[in-house]
Amino acid sequence: KTADLSGLPPGFIEYLAAEGIEELYPPQAAAVEAGILDGENVVASVPTASGKTLIAQLGMLSAIERGGSGGTSTGRALYIVPLRALASEKKAEFEAFEDFGVSVGVSTGNYESDGEWLADQDIIVATSEKVDSLVRNGARWIDDVDCVVADEVHLIDDSNRGPTLEVTMAKLRQLNPNLQTVALSATVGNAEEMATWLDAELVDTTWRPIDLKKGVHFGNALHLDDGTQRELPVERGQKQTAAIVRDTLDDGGSSLVFVNSRRNAEAAARRLADVIEPTLSPEAREELATVAAEIRSVSDTETSDDLAACVERGGAFHHAGLAPEHRSLVEDAFRDRLLKVVSATPTLAAGVNTPSRRVIVRDWRRYDGTAGGMQPLDVLEVHQMMGRAGRPGRDPYGEAVLLASSHDELDELFDRYVYADPEPVRSKLAAEPALRTHVLATIASGFARTRDELLDFLAETLHASQADDPERLEQVADTVIEYLERNEFVSRDGDDLDATSLGHTVSRLYLDPMSAAEIVDGLDAAEGKPTPLGLYHLVSRTPDMYELYLKSGDREEYTELAYEREPEFLGPMPSEFEDVRFESWLSALKTARMLEDWAEEVDEDRITERYGVGPGDVRGKVDTAEWLLNAAEQLAADLELDVTPAIREAKKRVEYGVSDELLELAGVRGVGRKRARRLYDAGIETRSQLREADKSVVLGALRGREKTAETILENAGRQDYSMDGVSPDGSARPGDS
Ligand code: ADP
């Protein structure tokens, strides 16, 4: 019983009761028995939706209640999330603790800020990249963390992001040897190994609060893992997915469909909405129309429109190309059972709490460029998607279904996923790109001053505890040290390793050293004032920017553009005969061209169409470019290169998405690129002109939106910003507002 728990802040038990939690789930009880309330390290390998969050809360809150290791009256906890989108979700969840005096802060934003303001929070939520950056920037409160929670720790297996989580855990544990570590994981093949690595007690279970039936649909039947079959006919001309969604609907439930690409998610949502629409009541239609209107008001892009059009008909898609506001509108409407079907890409399956009666894993293969062609998904990933099935207290059970189109495939899917155990988590640290950045940071922030100390540090990682080839990490580390030395990020004197001033800057800026080297070389090669396109291209060809793919026909188009604008590029252009390098140069050019379009006020909608991307991607690229240009500016300052004003201008233009003449106006909070253009065209060109302007002109330029006009005038520093009694001048066209 939760009432029997001790060592927690007064008020927490009542909070749980108000949430309907009076008895611990078995995995939670096991964590208590393992000593989580007494500072014991715990690894919890537990299925999706089985109450991991409460395990984390028990660890964090008891640590806070126990008091800080530094002698302070309250302790401090750090919750590491795998995705930025989840940081705000977790913060919102923990904010309820403020009622009993536990404060919560979320650390997002720029990598290089040191986050000192966070020092007063009891619980801090951040991504592993952010925590890594805070450590690099010497945020002092990091030393006083008493309990760290790593959510979705199985992502250590991810070659892109896993190494950062792994190294960050090792650093936090080195900073505070008394640190309590709580690691939450999906059920994995080697939880024991993870527990050994973290000196932790292990809670390893397949218990779930609601029964989960797994199965495969084939022909006209659903074959379940308990050996039973159920009739589930597919009518002529109907698709399997549609038939299953229909069947779930008849039973009063909702379906979550996982597919392998954004385009498929969108197409599936359109098709599945056809199934839902005829069954909607007039009230449901009205409520859905309200959600659709909210979706349209987020942005006027094609994706936004497509999504709203699906939602009106009772379905939706969910993928990383959506704006965050879109994602949460879809999640809320699905949780409220307004939406009956959502088709999603697996990227967002992890962590987003959207339970559903049925989960349909439609695609079990995904295109993988590095492996060449379609590759089967990991068992771990499929199990996580399946785990989203069933809402405790609402559904009698959850059902997760794969789709087979032949007898052979039916057997294969049972073997491969239904009956299979998840893979073990393997460290991906011993790779050059990962070690390049982490070795530099480890040296620059003083965790290692010699090669031996570096190897000792690396010995504290998961990699060292599971490597079948222990020499490998050492070999890669040596290659990387050489690279860092050659590029003057690190200097070596005998056995001693030291970061140069440039190396410190690169580490603090959170750049991949290879990106920094590319930027430094490019800026060095600049003759005269670099153009925005030249700078966008420079940052787009670094490994820190994901380039846009070249589609068919792009090669010709961008080759032509490359010759046309050759003088603008910083550094030599590779020859057309160097196939791979040239191709990658062109991809960077395509990315740079997209950024240039954005900075020349091309409509977001046109951009998404022209480059075949979602609005979320445009913003992602813009954010990355802004961050990299900011880094370029600091590197230029460090090297005393005379290009800072050009970089600053290119950065501001990409930040606001406007041409030069609008920079000042767009910098006023609440204005943005479109309104800045309208104000400018109405004759208001600067902030001070905005302060002095005729109110009816302002209101006219803002299409009669009084509240917006007042906010903007106030932000521009105008005292009498009220729009009472002002009518817009005639330039506003009817229907615009
Ligand atoms: P996980 O993080 O493992 O995916 P969550 O922590 O989000 O799962 O828990 C899933 C749901 O179960 C949440 O809605 C939560 O409120 C509920 N829950 C957790 N623990 C209990 C409990 N002991 N009793 C009743 N409900 C619980």
Side-chain angles (χ1 to χ4, degrees), residues 40-104:
E40 197 61 61
N41 298 335
V42 172
V43 168
S45 168
V46 180
T48 314
S50 304
K52 286 195 284 291
T53 309
L54 179 52
I55 295 182
Q57 293 171 351
L58 294 174
M60 296 195 295
L61 293 172
S62 60
I64 289 168
E65 189 66 7
R66 227 176 7 257
S69 49
T72 43
S73 61
T74 54
R76 187 197 307 280
L78 175 61
Y79 192 105
I80 304 181
V81 287
L83 289 173
R84 260 219 248 174
L86 292 178
S88 26
E89 192 174 285
K90 283 294 164 198
K91 178 179 183 248
E93 205 173 325
F94 300 154
E95 246 160 12
F97 303 163
E98 293 184 350
D99 287 349
F100 45 87
V102 173
S103 57
V104 183

Side-chain angles (χ1 to χ4, degrees), residues 22 55 68 74 139 166 170 291 316 341 361 379 469 564 569 614 616 619 671:
E22 300 198 337
I55 295 182
T74 54
E166 188 178 343
V291 180
V341 62
V361 182
V379 179
D469 177 9
E564 206 177 291
F569 301 127
R619 284 187 218 180
V671 173

Side-chain angles (χ1 to χ4, degrees), residues 20-21 23-25 28 47-54 353:
I21 300 178
E23 203 166 326
L24 295 180
Y25 282 163
Q28 297 161 347
T48 314
S50 304
K52 286 195 284 291
T53 309
L54 179 52
N353 190 17

